[in-house]
Amino acid sequence: QLQLVESGGDLVQPGGSLRLSCAASGFTLDYYAIAWFRQAPGKEREGVSCISTSGGSTNYADSVKGRFAISRDNAKNTVYLQMNSLKPEDTAVYYCAAIRGVFRRCVISSNEYDQWGQGTHVTVSS
């Protein structure tokens, strides 16, 4: 029963903030690299951010650099995506994904990950 469950999505005004959570059930995230992806209506899935197994290395899409921050709390078996200064173009379904391995770095490419959550909706609108 390996499962990733995203939460925290909501309707928020432009300039607002949200923190998304990705909680693992049935396995521990200690030995997984984690990534966040998003898919807006009518758009292809886009890589947002990733964090290495140790948490010592992160990567971000250019569109979110300086606004989003990914982190992990292995004790809680959870990865977070803090989203600040939200823009309407951030509106999307956000997914977390995991790949098992001891990675010092990570990439934001969907074919690198084999465990996926069901997504959480983020809407940025006035």
Side-chain angles (χ1 to χ4, degrees):
Q1 292 186 313
L2 305 180
Q3 188 174 11
L4 294 171
V5 179
E6 302 94 335
S7 62
D10 205 351
L11 170 65
V12 63
Q13 294 183 343
S17 297
L18 286 173
R19 189 176 75 162
L20 306 183
S21 298
C22 175
S25 297
F27 67 103
T28 176
L29 290 178
D30 295 35
Y31 307 111
Y32 289 77
I34 308 295
W36 285 94
F37 298 84
R38 66 186 182 186
Q39 188 164 20
K43 302 292 186 179
E44 294 184 349
R45 185 167 52 203
E46 174 190 16
V48 176
S49 184
C50 64
I51 188 166
S52 63
T53 306
S54 68
S57 180
T58 59
N59 205 359
Y60 297 91
D62 288 342
S63 59
V64 306
K65 286 181 179 177
R67 300 189 298 119
F68 290 11
I70 190 170
S71 62
R72 66 159 74 220
D73 187 339
N74 287 348
K76 296 181 179 179
N77 216 25
T78 301
V79 171
Y80 304 97
L81 184 68
Q82 179 67 46
M83 306 187 296
N84 300 320
S85 301
L86 284 163
K87 304 175 181 180
E89 52 262 43
D90 295 318
T91 295
V93 179
Y94 284 72
Y95 302 89
C96 68
I99 179 68
R100 181 177 176 86
V102 181
F103 303 105
R104 288 172 289 184
R105 298 181 180 182
C106 64
V107 296
I108 319 172
S109 179
S110 61
N111 60 14
E112 297 289 335
Y113 299 87
D114 58 15
Q115 302 288 336
W116 290 79
Q118 296 298 306
T120 185
H121 289 75
V122 173
T123 302
V124 184
S125 176
S126 298

